Amino acid sequence: MKRYLLPLIVFAVLVGFLAVGLKLDPREVPSPLIDKPAPAFSLPRLDEPAQQLALGDLKGKVWLLNVWASWCVACRIEHPVLVDLAKSGAVPIYGLNYKDKREDALAWLAKHGDPYRVSLSDTQGLVGIDFGVYGVPETFVIDKTGTIRLKHIGPVTPDVLRDTILPLVKKLDA
Amino acid sequence: MPRLLPKVAPKLAPMLLALLLAWLGGAMAQEARPLAADPALEAKVMHIAEELRCLVCQNETIAASQADLAVDLRQQIRLKLQQGQSREQIVDFMVQRYGDFVLYKPPLKGSTWLLWGGPFVLLGIALVALGVNIRRRRSAGAPLQADESARARRLLDQEPG
């Protein structure tokens, strides 16, 4: 009996590791920016390129930074969720229009709705690099002091919004 | 000579065409060369880029990947080298943004000790198991007692069936 016990234990441990491995998404790389100050930026507004918006302008409130692009297919999946969120007024959403053409981006917003207080044009993708963006869409929760509290990679689903983002926003707002 | 020409000409035409194509191919390859005018700088860029993982296609280096982000990050490395930054500064820049995951050679620290030490721990366990096993086999090979060898003799002497 004893000689079967050891292989059985080894097998169980292996199955345990593989089961956990199955649940992990290798695409989701933990961001080192969590609980660090958001990288400073100053970018032209998508709607009014003559005007700039900087990180400092957003201090004092909790806000979402949503990285999007008109060429991004997955952005279309999350877009209705963001539009609904904007309507509810729970938290202001700012857009980072990542490596996009201005006219494409404006046409995309006109067609699918505009949930953003302001979208910023990151044509070169340099602010995206500062935020460690590697796949669009990505969403950051930034608190009143300008600290990044959460990074969500991939489309924001209603579940993620209800279970993770909104509770965090509520906590940070309090 | 003039009589030879009609025989050679049909063979000559494809050869000329091949030469022309080869030359054209060469000309096109010229066009596709990297943008950097400075090969020494480009070599340095690639040297650093080879240590960094592309986050879009995770099993490729930034040097090998053709993903947009990899192209952008190579450009960042190029700019920073031109500004006189060191390899360490550039690697730090990447780690600050993308975490240790971008490094193909992760640093030895609290969260990575299992990664570095794990194989040695496994080797240790295997060696201990081997030692125990060898000792057990040795003791199993102890000489037979008198009554045991008598019984073995009897069994061996029996006629089969």
Side-chain angles (χ1 to χ4, degrees), chain B residues 46-125:
Chain B
M46 284 306 177
H47 187 69
I48 295 174
E50 271 164 17
E51 294 177 43
L52 301 170
R53 185 195 305 274
C54 173
L55 283 104
V56 182
C57 28
Q58 298 183 344
N59 286 328
E60 273 190 304
T61 64
I62 286 176
S65 175
Q66 284 305 316
D68 270 1
L69 183 68
V71 175
D72 287 355
L73 290 178
R74 284 202 295 270
Q75 180 61 19
Q76 284 294 304
I77 298 173
R78 197 171 293 131
L79 282 175
K80 285 178 192 304
L81 281 173
Q82 278 167 346
Q83 288 162 10
Q85 291 195 15
S86 70
R87 193 196 73 92
E88 283 74 25
Q89 282 173 308
I90 295 171
V91 169
D92 279 353
F93 171 89
M94 298 293 173
V95 171
Q96 272 169 25
R97 282 155 183 77
Y98 301 103
D100 287 336
F101 190 75
V102 292
L103 301 175
Y104 263 105
K105 202 173 162 188
L108 186 55
K109 60 182 195 184
S111 56
T112 58
W113 74 265
L114 193 63
L115 188 68
W116 285 97
F120 298 104
V121 172
L122 284 180
L123 184 69
I125 292 173

